[in-house]
Amino acid sequence: MEKEKQLRATPQDDEIDLRELVGVVYDRRWWVIATTAAFAVLSIAYVLLTAPVYQAQAMIQVESKVPAIPGLSDLTSLTGGGSAAATTEVALLTSRMVVGNAVDRLQLDINAQPRRFPLLGGYFARRHERRDPQMVAMPALGISRYGWGGEVLSVHRFDVPEGLLNEPLTLVAGPAAGGFSLLGPGGDEVLQGSVGVPAEARGIKLEVAELRANPGTHFLLQKRRRLDVLVELQKEVKVAEQGKDSGILKLAFEGRDASGAEALLQNVAEIYVRQNVERSSAEAASQLQFVKDQLPTVRKQVESAQAAMAAYQSRSNAVDITLQTKGLLEQQVAVETSIQQLQLKQAEMDRTFTREHPAYRALLKQIGGLQARK
């Protein structure tokens, strides 16, 4: 009987008593309210204090180069030439030449920004810049060493010795308009200067193009190693093809500064396009020079053929050429012209392909067929 009572009591013990749970929550209601409020406050603080991250995007269309040799386009499509070309263009977009030129144009190896009050300074600066980006915010609580919004520091030139690369220096806005002083890593004054006037001391060359800040505001000024900046940007600039064999490349870059991210992608795209134009122009100039070099030889061959034809007519006392002979000569001239054109293409392909390449072998086969026809 006792076992049966225990078995019957077990299902009842497993049931959830809602009254008891509500009672427990009610007894600890202040802990629940305090915990919920604390997490809500932390969430709101995180949203307000965290600096936003902006993403800039750009689209580039890669024009496919159509081969001038018949049949070569079919071979390219069969061997997956489209995807290989896209991979090549992606590598060119993130190459050191393209990204490095963008770094030099925008002077991304110079880090110049105002020092913000810990934790809250960024929020107050963003709030002020949304209201009035053209004015400098007044120092809060009389703390003038920090920037509270609207500060601008534009550096035209900043060169430091090898030992000061990647070392943070401090630029302090002076009491006079446009004046400033530069402090070393230890806080000692290195040089003094004014906007638009080059200053030099202890191997440091500094020229400030624009300075807008309250007197006493501190700026972080750092000359970074160019290679370090270049490698970082190569990793952060994302390039991907939109769709298979579409020829459209999408660039994306994320950064804290919206205008800076946009300017970086704009310069990368412009440098890439200009590089392609210069490369195509160089190839066209090389081909044109090759044609100019071959013109004297072709002209001599034409003159020799004309002289031989005139001598033959003189020997055979031919006054007029029949239509059949005229047609044959026109065909021969057309075949000879085609052979000359293919030989020019062969000379161009000698600089690009090996003799075992399918396109090169197809070209030789065409030349052989035309010569047999001739």
Side-chain angles (χ1 to χ4, degrees):
M1 293 296 291
E2 292 181 358
K3 292 183 178 179
E4 292 180 358
K5 290 181 179 179
Q6 291 178 359
L7 292 175
R8 291 177 182 177
T10 302
Q12 296 177 358
D13 295 339
D14 292 340
E15 293 180 358
I16 299 175
D17 190 351
L18 294 179
R19 292 181 181 179
E20 184 179 356
L21 289 178
V22 172
V24 172
V25 173
Y26 182 78
D27 293 339
R28 293 173 173 80
R29 61 187 181 276
W30 296 114
W31 285 102
V32 174
I33 294 173
T35 304
T36 305
F39 276 101
V41 170
L42 291 176
S43 301
I44 295 173
Y46 178 79
V47 172
L48 294 177
L49 299 180
T50 303
V53 177
Y54 302 93
Q55 184 183 69
Q57 295 182 353
M59 305 290 286
I60 293 179
Q61 181 179 2
V62 180
E63 296 290 345
S64 58
K65 296 182 179 181
V66 180
I69 303 174
L72 184 57
S73 58
D74 300 332
L75 293 174
T76 304
S77 61
L78 290 175
T79 56
S83 59
T87 304
T88 302
E89 300 305 323
V90 169
L92 288 175
L93 273 167
T94 56
S95 64
R96 290 190 176 184
M97 177 179 293
V98 174
V99 179
N101 286 335
V103 170
D104 296 336
R105 278 188 182 185
L106 300 176
Q107 294 184 324
L108 298 180
D109 56 342
I110 299 177
N111 184 16
Q113 55 184 346
R115 294 188 182 273
R116 303 296 185 192
F117 188 81
L119 193 61
L120 301 176
Y123 167 73
F124 285 108
R126 291 191 298 272
R127 184 180 177 185
H128 171 78
E129 290 170 358
R130 285 194 296 267
R131 292 182 302 181
D132 192 357
Q134 302 300 326
M135 296 295 294
V136 180
M138 295 300 296
L141 303 176
I143 306 177
S144 61
R145 64 178 301 174
Y146 296 108
W148 298 95
E151 296 82 12
V152 175
L153 175 60
S154 177
V155 179
H156 177 69
R157 181 184 180 184
F158 184 42
D159 298 329
V160 299
E162 186 71 18
L164 290 180
L165 286 176
N166 296 330
E167 288 291 335
L169 306 180
T170 302
L171 186 141
V172 182
F180 63 86
S181 59
L182 184 66
L183 307 182
D188 57 320
E189 183 176 299
V190 178
L191 57 82
Q192 291 184 350
S194 57
V195 174
V197 180
E200 181 177 357
R202 301 184 188 179
I204 299 177
K205 298 179 181 179
L206 176 61
E207 183 177 353
V208 177
E210 182 181 2
L211 176 61
R212 188 173 64 197
N214 293 315
T217 302
H218 287 203
F219 289 84
L220 168 67
L221 189 58
Q222 183 183 31
K223 179 70 172 183
R224 300 188 61 192
R225 198 177 302 273
R226 181 179 182 273
L227 182 59
D228 296 341
V229 179
L230 195 153
V231 172
E232 288 181 7
L233 292 179
Q234 282 182 309
K235 296 178 181 178
E236 295 174 359
V237 175
K238 307 298 182 183
V239 184
E241 186 178 13
Q242 294 293 97
K244 184 178 181 182
D245 298 338
S246 63
I248 298 177
L249 302 180
K250 177 181 178 182
L251 288 77
F253 177 75
E254 294 182 352
R256 302 287 186 184
D257 184 9
S259 58
E262 180 183 359
L264 174 62
L265 284 193
Q266 181 70 24
N267 278 270
V268 168
E270 289 179 357
I271 294 170
Y272 165 78
V273 172
R274 179 173 297 180
Q275 175 181 298
N276 276 358
V277 171
E278 293 176 353
R279 184 175 56 187
S280 300
S281 300
E283 292 179 358
S286 177
Q287 295 174 359
L288 181 60
Q289 185 61 38
F290 178 78
V291 171
K292 288 181 178 179
D293 295 340
Q294 294 297 319
L295 277 178
T297 303
V298 175
R299 186 179 292 109
K300 289 181 180 179
Q301 293 177 355
V302 172
E303 292 175 354
S304 299
Q306 290 177 349
M309 185 174 65
Y312 172 77
Q313 290 178 352
S314 178
R315 289 195 304 269
S316 59
N317 296 322
V319 179
D320 192 9
I321 303 177
T322 62
L323 294 177
Q324 181 178 5
T325 306
K326 183 178 180 181
L328 291 174
L329 287 176
E330 289 176 353
Q331 293 181 17
Q332 183 178 4
V333 172
V335 170
E336 183 67 24
T337 303
S338 300
I339 292 175
Q340 294 292 336
Q341 293 177 352
L342 291 178
Q343 287 178 347
L344 292 177
K345 295 294 182 183
Q346 180 185 0
E348 294 176 6
M349 293 183 68
D350 281 336
R351 300 192 298 268
T352 308
F353 302 101
T354 62
R355 293 183 177 270
E356 299 299 326
H357 195 276
Y360 196 92
R361 297 177 64 181
L363 179 62
L364 293 179
K365 186 177 180 180
Q366 288 184 349
I367 294 175
L370 290 176
Q371 289 178 346
R373 183 180 178 187
K374 174 183 173 182

